[in-house]
Structures are given as structure tokens and as C-alpha cells.
Amino acid sequence: MNELFEDFAKAYALQNGYLLAQTISPVPPPNEPSRLRRIWQSTNIHSVKGDIKHFIKSQTLPRKAIGNDEINGWVEVYVAYWNALGEILAGESGKSSWTKVYETWKELTSVLIRGYNNSGFEAWTIPTLYVVGKYLRLFAIKSDDERSRSSTDNSGTASLMQDDFDPELEKQGQLRDCEQHLKRIFTLCLNDRAPIEESRKWGIYFVINLLFKTYFKLNSASLSRTILKTLAVYNEKGDMPPLEAFPRAQRVTFKYYEGVLFFLEENYVQAEKHLMEAWNSCHKDAKNNAERILTYLIPCRLLTSHVLPTKTLLRPYPRLQELLLPLAECIKRGDLHNFDLALQKGEDEFVRKRIYLTLERGRDIALRNLLRKVFLAGGYEEPKEGETTTVRRTRVPVPEFRAAICMGSGGEHVDADEVECLLANMIYKDLMKGYIARERGIVVLSKKGAFPGTGV
């Protein structure tokens, strides 16, 4: 345990919050895989509180003065940490469960929050909140998975009691409990009234990002809006440091989730704006994060700007290349049949990522490109006497469009009424400019910009 509090003392002397946070990590350093077990074995339940207090005083006070309230607060934190380590190590040998780990880690979280409220923990120590919040969420997920497996194994007994509880709610019970504790950390940071330089507000975006991840995992993404509204009030009052002043990782994650929220609300213009900010700030080596951003940015740009992803863009991301490149190629060619097949092939993944309905709208772009080919194939009208400028044929017979749609649909028969309905929808959606002259059986297209976004 001596080495643990040497690091604690060093962190206090340097006021290094990240070094301090490492002292309450549930994961040992790569170069010291047995560190957690050594800490656990260095004392016992009867002596742990006295031992920790002794080590904090002997290691820290010679370097930096700490008040008694603060010392007692950290003693309580490290006692709770030691208890959590016992469950973590017992779990490794099959003598404990993730549920017990979660409960002890939850106690550590509560004790740490009390330390900020009652023991005067300073703002530079907020990375400790990052560690407890991050692992509280992970342990909650593991606990829920464990409980779900146990429930499946005992499905016969559970079926007798199914009227007494909501099984869907129970599946993520620990994560829902975790969300309440993350909100306590959020409130702790948000309501700090210390000057900005010494404020716990510098921890706010890390906690917000944890809450976003939790809400998305719970399929309750809309709850994120409450957090954003609260944050907006403080930003308007000037009580919050600007987002640009926070670490890049926190900015990218925040903008990603903000963009995805707009995406799910079908506000694709705002979604594209925030996702582009995340994309431009994302570190070039963070391939997984970049792939997550592109998963939503590509469908956004497809609808807002009709921009298709290129092979060069998708080359570093084989999974996205496999899913999205066939769709992009079909849209470019106006190949409706193969577009439907590609959408069907990736349906499970698209639905899981919540992008299926957005990608499905890409069929309109594919249809527009198909109709544009018919328009271009019609050539030019004969110039009138005295005119030298050639003008494209703008009166296209409906049967020509119908023939193209039938071919693009893989030879499937499409009747005339359905074709007229498709054409009317294209005009309504401003993907084609003109009108249908039904009595003459033609489509009269605009002489300029007949197909917006294509240059013709």
C-alpha cells in the first residue's frame, strides 16, 4: 500500500489530477499486473482505515499541508476503493459477481461525491470523478448482462412471476441506477460557484459524454436533450468555460453525440454541422471514432448535399466500405434494383445503427439519377429558324421514363399510374423541376436546372 500513497503524495505535490485518478483505477498498470492484489493483501478489514490514514499523513504531509477534513475525506475514499478491489479480485477467482462489484464501486462513487461536498476536495482532483464515473457505467453494464444471463437460466421460475415485474426494465436496472449517480456528478460539477479557473465545471463535458453514452445504451437518447437544455442555460449566462477550452477528446465526443441527436430527430442540416465539427477535430489515428462519425455523417450528406462517399474516403474503414459503397455506386448509376438488394443485405446493421430509414431515402437520389439519364439521352431540340443556341429537349414522354424505371427495377413491370406517382413525388421533393401534362402523356421539364444538384 505504501507505493499507492507515494503516488497519492506525488499527485498532491504536483496537483496532477490524472496521476491522482490512477490511484483509484480498478485496472492495474500494464507493467504491474499484480498491483491491485498487493494493495488488497497489504491490510485487512479491521486495520484498513487506520493504515490508510497513516500512509496519507506520513507520505503527503511532509510535502504538502492538507487539512484534517480533506484527509478524512480521502481516507473514506480509499477505504471504499479497497473494499471494491476485494470484490473485483474475488470476481476474478469466481467468488464474487459483477453485481457486487457494481455495488461496491457505487459506494466509492458516493463517498467521492461526499468528499467534494463536505471535505473540500479541490477542482484539480476532478479526474478522479472521470475514473469512478467511467467504471461505474462499465460495471453496471456487466452487472446487467450477468443478471440477464442468470434470468435466462432461471426462465422457468421467472415465467411464474412475470406479472410482478417488467422484464424489459429489469434487463438494464443497474444501468438505470448508474444514470442517477452520473447525474449527481453532473450536478456536482455544474453547480460549483468557484471562479472558473478553480471550478469543477471543467469536468462537465466528460460527465455529459458519459450520460450520453448511458442514454443511448438505454434507448432513451431523447433524455440527452434535458442535459443540453440545462447546459445551454449556463452557457447563455456565461457561467461555463467555452467548449473550445476543453480537451479535444471531450469536444469530439460531445459534438458526435449532439450530431447524432439531431440525426435521430431528422434535422439533417444541424446533424451535418455538428458531425462535421467532430470529424474535423477527430485525431487522424482514432480510426474507431472516425468510423462512428462517418456512419452518420455519410447519410446526412447524402440527403443534404447529395454527396456520395468515395472509395478513397472509405478505404481505411473496411466495414463501412462493405456496407455503404454498394449503395453509393447504385445511387450513382441509378440502379434501383441493386440498391434495394444492397439495402436489404445490410438491413440488420443499418437498423441497429438507426440509419436504415435515412439510407432508404437515398433511393430517391438513385431515381433522380436514373430519370436524369433519360433526360440526357433525349438530346437537343431542333433549333428554330434564326437561332444558333441548342436547347435540350424538355418535353419527355412518360413512357420513356416508365421504360427506364422498369429497367432500373431489374425488369420488374411498373404500370403507368405508379410511374406518374413516382414522377409527381420527385417534383414535390424538388429533385426534378417541371410538371406532368397528363392529357398529353408528357413531362414538361424546366429549361434550367431540371434536376437540381446535378448541373442540368
Side-chain angles (χ1 to χ4, degrees):
M1 191 172 283
N2 191 49
E3 58 187 325
L4 175 68
F5 290 102
E6 282 181 2
D7 289 344
F8 176 88
K10 187 184 301 182
Y12 245 84
L14 299 173
Q15 292 201 339
N16 186 328
Y18 289 95
L19 178 58
L20 181 65
Q22 290 175 18
T23 65
I24 58 169
S25 171
V27 178
N31 58 334
E32 293 184 80
S34 62
R35 179 182 172 110
L36 301 186
R37 188 166 294 280
R38 289 203 307 273
I39 293 170
W40 167 251
Q41 292 176 340
S42 64
T43 187
N44 58 62
I45 191 65
H46 303 293
S47 307
V48 60
K49 192 168 186 175
D51 289 346
I52 289 173
K53 193 166 190 174
H54 165 74
F55 279 115
I56 288 180
K57 285 186 172 182
S58 62
Q59 293 287 352
T60 310
L61 289 180
R63 305 189 194 188
K64 184 176 178 64
I66 304 178
N68 281 332
D69 285 348
E70 196 171 354
I71 288 175
N72 291 333
W74 286 116
V75 168
E76 295 299 324
V77 167
Y78 283 98
V79 169
Y81 174 62
W82 183 83
N83 287 328
L85 286 188
E87 294 298 339
I88 292 169
L89 294 169
E92 290 178 357
S93 58
K95 296 178 181 178
S96 187
S97 64
W98 285 115
T99 298
K100 290 181 180 178
V101 170
Y102 172 74
E103 291 298 331
T104 54
W105 199 262
K106 182 171 70 173
E107 176 60 22
L108 169 60
T109 304
S110 294
V111 169
L112 187 61
I113 291 172
R114 280 203 302 273
Y116 285 96
N117 287 326
N118 303 330
S119 303
F121 291 177
E122 296 179 59
W124 65 266
T125 66
I126 58 173
T128 58
L129 291 171
Y130 301 171
V131 169
V132 295
K134 172 185 174 181
Y135 286 101
L136 185 70
R137 176 179 170 274
L138 294 176
F139 292 151
I141 292 171
K142 288 179 179 293
S143 173
D144 283 331
D145 289 343
E146 179 182 73
R147 285 149 61 100
S148 179
R149 288 195 302 271
S150 176
S151 176
T152 302
D153 294 341
N154 298 317
S155 56
T157 303
S159 64
L160 297 175
M161 302 170 61
Q162 61 185 1
D163 293 335
D164 298 331
F165 66 94
D166 182 349
E168 290 302 315
L169 200 61
E170 279 294 305
K171 281 182 181 177
Q172 295 181 310
Q174 300 290 61
L175 191 58
R176 292 181 188 280
D177 181 66
C178 167
E179 179 249 346
Q180 297 301 315
H181 292 278
L182 292 178
K183 284 202 296 189
R184 290 175 63 200
I185 299 176
F186 172 76
T187 302
L188 176 74
C189 294
L190 190 69
N191 292 338
D192 188 14
R193 300 196 177 190
I196 288 296
E197 298 78 13
E198 304 168 2
S199 175
R200 294 193 295 265
K201 287 187 172 76
W202 290 104
I204 197 71
Y205 281 100
F206 187 93
V207 183
I208 287 175
N209 291 336
L210 278 181
L211 281 166
F212 283 167
K213 292 177 183 180
T214 303
Y215 289 138
F216 275 77
K217 183 73 173 176
L218 290 170
N219 287 321
S220 302
S222 59
L223 294 176
S224 302
R225 277 287 163 215
T226 305
I227 300 295
L228 290 176
K229 287 177 183 176
T230 305
L231 182 65
V233 171
Y234 280 77
N235 279 325
E236 287 170 7
K237 292 193 299 184
D239 287 348
M240 191 66 61
L243 179 61
E244 296 73 25
F246 286 79
R248 182 203 286 191
Q250 295 180 24
R251 299 198 314 268
V252 170
T253 304
F254 178 77
K255 282 296 176 182
Y256 164 75
Y257 278 105
E258 197 172 14
V260 174
L261 279 172
F262 279 113
F263 182 93
L264 296 178
E265 294 166 359
E266 299 187 3
N267 187 341
Y268 297 114
V269 173
Q270 284 297 316
E272 181 181 356
K273 173 189 171 185
H274 292 290
L275 289 168
M276 279 299 298
E277 288 183 44
W279 171 256
N280 290 330
S281 301
C282 188
H283 194 281
K284 61 184 178 63
D285 294 329
K287 298 295 184 186
N288 289 337
N289 290 342
E291 183 171 330
R292 290 188 184 98
I293 295 168
L294 285 177
T295 299
Y296 296 94
L297 182 57
I298 288 172
C300 271
R301 289 180 61 77
L302 173 62
L303 292 191
T304 59
S305 314
H306 301 170
V307 174
L308 297 172
T310 63
K311 290 182 179 179
T312 303
L313 175 67
L314 294 179
R315 190 171 293 120
Y317 317 103
R319 183 59 180 157
L320 283 184
Q321 190 172 12
E322 179 186 350
L323 288 169
L324 298 179
L325 199 56
L327 287 173
E329 291 173 346
C330 291
I331 290 171
K332 190 174 183 180
R333 295 196 306 266
D335 188 344
L336 303 177
H337 177 66
N338 284 314
F339 175 87
D340 291 339
L341 291 178
L343 192 65
Q344 184 179 359
K345 182 179 178 181
E347 180 175 357
D348 290 344
E349 184 72 8
F350 296 148
V351 169
R352 189 173 70 83
K353 296 287 187 182
R354 303 180 178 96
I355 60 175
Y356 179 85
L357 294 177
T358 307
L359 290 174
E360 191 178 37
R361 296 182 187 181
R363 197 177 198 276
D364 289 338
I365 314 299
L367 179 57
R368 180 204 65 178
N369 291 343
L370 178 62
L371 300 178
R372 176 177 175 270
K373 288 183 178 182
V374 176
F375 173 68
L376 294 176
Y380 296 86
E381 295 179 351
E382 289 292 331
K384 295 179 180 178
E385 187 176 348
E387 292 183 352
T388 56
T389 305
T390 57
V391 179
R392 283 199 175 277
R393 183 185 63 154
T394 56
R395 290 169 173 77
V396 183
V398 172
E400 291 187 16
F401 284 133
R402 181 186 177 192
I405 291 172
C406 289
M407 291 176 62
S409 301
E412 180 183 341
H413 173 76
V414 184
D415 61 39
D417 287 342
E418 186 176 350
V419 169
E420 287 189 10
C421 182
L422 289 170
L423 295 173
N425 277 332
M426 298 301 285
I427 294 169
Y428 173 76
K429 294 174 180 178
D430 203 30
L431 293 171
M432 184 169 75
K433 289 191 175 182
Y435 62 91
I436 303 171
R438 294 198 66 191
E439 69 284 354
R440 296 161 60 190
I442 63 171
V443 178
V444 182
L445 295 169
S446 173
K447 291 182 179 180
K448 291 185 178 179
F451 291 88
T454 66
V456 298

